[in-house]
Amino acid sequence: MAKVRTSAGERRPVILIRSSPWKAGSEQTPWHDVFDMDNGHVRYFGDHKATTTAAPGRTTGNAALLDAFTGHQGHTPEERATAVPLLLFRAVSRSGKVKGHVEFCGLGVIERAERLVQWSGSDHATFTNYVYDIALIDLTAEDDTVSWAWIDSRRDKTLADAQTLELAPKAWREWVKHGHSALPRLRRRVARAKVTKVPEQRAKPGTVEAKDLELIYNHFDGRKHDFEAVASAVAARVLRGAGNSYVEGWLTRRSGDGGADFVGRLDIGSGLAGTSLVVLGQAKCVKLDNLVTAEQIARVVARLRRGWIGVYVTTGAYSVPAQTEMVEDQYPIVLINGLELARELRGMARDDHGGDLEACLGHILTHREIAITNRRPEEILLE
């Protein structure tokens, strides 16, 4: 987009970047752009070609991106406030057609620009071009959208750079404030969208959930094995609540449990169209402000075999790094935090005990039919 002249100097409102993967490797588009959406990284090649007569940095696209790169390397918030945002798109197929459709891929900042030699055509002619490593900014707070009102404000020559920032995405404002050092936490990552922040996992003070969770913790503090029975019952309720067929198995013995506190079986489908999964459960009754770490979850995952899944039940919460590792490494494990534990037990109390939570807990402990044994988890498949 053309630059506008403001009182502080020239400002380019935006650069729109489009990549067409289906053209990659052709004489028209001899480069191969890389869009790693999961990790917030795009490697984008400039518009110089073997047939271009202008200098590599003088073509329309390269000139604009090199100018943007200079702005993105600003050392102060004031310098970065003038930086031009990059909006990235790529061509996608629709109904078998490769032309005519694009999808929005995100908002970017150029981290690096490199001059390189490329090959093109059947005769392998060489030419010089630029390649840009672009960090995609996290747009979770905006539901992966960018308000065009922000771009419009950047086109308004009467507005100062600081004024236009008021309409910018949250992560962009953070980048302007802190610079490239903040990119590791501001970069778009799919895992981040699936992570629940710690405060959201905890009951708000004074609520029914907070009172219930306090009662649960006090009831089972120092009674590890009794809490395992409750965790098993809650895991069963959660898994059945999704419409699955779940069978409670047994509790493991107090010592030598090998990292598992209870065992169950998840049945999917029936007959030849069905299968069963071993469920390995871990229960941790900890102080309500405690966090379960990635290492603790990994210990449970290390016990899992093919066809097994894990369930981790705690009165505490799960750290963000623990959840991120679980999502990125695709751990087959269900996490039940203290807030969810309290809600499930309150539901059980309401359904069967007239809302009396203590009576519900007593019933679980008194009438449980699951045995305590040192049987091997895979034996649950034989029942």
Side-chain angles (χ1 to χ4, degrees):
M1 189 175 288
K3 292 182 177 180
V4 296
R5 184 171 293 279
T6 70
S7 58
E10 289 188 324
R11 177 174 68 216
R12 192 184 300 278
V14 68
I15 293 177
L16 306 178
I17 294 179
R18 170 185 168 138
S19 178
S20 299
W22 57 275
K23 289 184 180 180
S26 67
E27 188 166 350
Q28 182 182 6
T29 309
W31 45 82
H32 293 261
D33 298 332
V34 176
F35 280 67
D36 184 358
M37 303 293 290
D38 288 353
N39 296 301
H41 175 254
V42 171
R43 189 166 175 83
Y44 181 77
F45 289 84
D47 59 347
H48 197 84
K49 304 173 184 176
T51 56
T52 305
T53 56
R58 298 294 182 87
T59 52
T60 303
N62 276 328
L65 287 174
L66 289 172
D67 183 46
F69 177 58
T70 300
H72 290 178
Q73 299 304 303
H75 297 295
T76 66
E78 291 74 24
E79 291 175 338
R80 291 188 292 271
T82 67
V84 53
L86 310 182
L87 297 183
L88 292 95
F89 302 80
R90 63 179 172 182
V92 293
S93 299
R94 288 290 184 272
S95 303
K97 297 180 180 179
V98 296
K99 294 184 178 181
H101 300 277
V102 296
E103 67 176 0
F104 175 56
C105 296
L107 167 64
V109 171
I110 302 175
E111 293 185 275
R112 288 174 296 276
E114 178 186 355
R115 188 164 172 161
L116 77 171
V117 175
Q118 292 185 261
W119 299 78
S120 175
S122 57
D123 57 352
H124 299 294
T126 61
F127 66 99
T128 303
N129 195 14
Y130 282 88
V131 63
Y132 307 89
D133 286 302
I134 301 171
L136 296 179
I137 297 296
D138 181 31
L139 296 174
T140 301
E142 293 78 23
D143 294 325
D144 280 328
T145 64
V146 170
S147 171
W148 196 255
W150 174 39
I151 307 303
D152 269 341
S153 71
R154 292 181 54 82
R155 295 175 60 220
D156 188 341
K157 60 185 180 182
T158 67
L159 296 179
D161 296 325
Q163 290 176 288
T164 67
L165 281 175
E166 295 176 4
L167 296 172
K170 179 182 178 182
W172 181 271
R173 296 196 303 270
E174 285 291 302
W175 170 76
V176 168
K177 183 177 180 180
H178 300 288
H180 278 19
S181 63
L183 282 180
R185 65 180 175 84
L186 298 178
R187 186 186 298 272
R188 180 188 192 274
R189 294 174 73 182
V190 169
R192 187 177 289 118
K194 298 180 180 179
V195 167
T196 303
K197 295 179 180 179
V198 172
E200 296 173 7
Q201 299 180 61
R202 289 179 170 151
K204 292 181 172 57
T207 61
V208 172
E209 291 91 348
K211 295 176 182 177
D212 286 350
L213 196 52
E214 189 72 33
L215 186 152
I216 294 165
Y217 173 72
N218 291 333
H219 195 88
F220 294 104
D221 184 26
R223 299 167 60 190
K224 174 180 178 290
H225 222 55
D226 287 345
F227 181 71
E228 291 169 4
V230 172
S232 177
V234 168
R237 181 179 170 90
V238 169
L239 293 174
R240 289 170 183 155
N244 300 308
S245 176
Y246 179 78
V247 177
E248 284 189 83
W250 56 82
L251 303 182
T252 59
R253 294 195 180 279
R254 294 176 185 272
S255 60
D257 61 16
D261 293 324
F262 60 89
V263 176
R265 189 183 74 232
L266 187 64
D267 297 327
I268 303 173
S270 60
L272 291 177
T275 189
S276 295
L277 306 176
V278 173
V279 177
L280 217 59
Q282 181 74 34
K284 289 294 182 185
C285 182
V286 297
K287 292 182 179 180
L288 307 186
D289 59 353
N290 275 20
L291 290 178
V292 176
T293 66
E295 291 76 15
Q296 289 173 298
I297 293 178
R299 282 198 290 270
V300 178
V301 174
R303 286 287 325 278
L304 301 180
R305 302 179 186 176
R306 180 180 297 179
W308 294 17
I309 64 172
V311 179
Y312 204 116
V313 184
T314 182
T315 49
Y318 298 94
S319 71
V320 169
Q323 296 177 73
T324 302
E325 182 173 316
M326 185 196 76
V327 174
E328 290 182 342
D329 292 346
Q330 299 182 341
Y331 290 162
I333 189 166
V334 176
L335 304 182
I336 301 174
N337 58 43
L339 179 59
E340 188 65 23
L341 172 72
R343 287 173 175 168
E344 292 295 337
L345 285 172
R346 170 56 58 183
M348 294 168 68
R350 184 176 54 249
D351 293 345
D352 302 316
H353 303 281
D356 189 333
L357 181 58
E358 290 192 80
C360 174
L361 297 176
H363 177 83
I364 293 174
L365 297 178
T366 303
H367 296 86
R368 68 186 185 202
E369 297 178 355
I370 52 179
I372 299 174
T373 178
N374 57 1
R375 295 169 62 190
R376 293 177 300 170
E378 56 268 31
E379 294 181 42
I380 188 71
L381 299 176
L382 303 176
E383 295 190 350

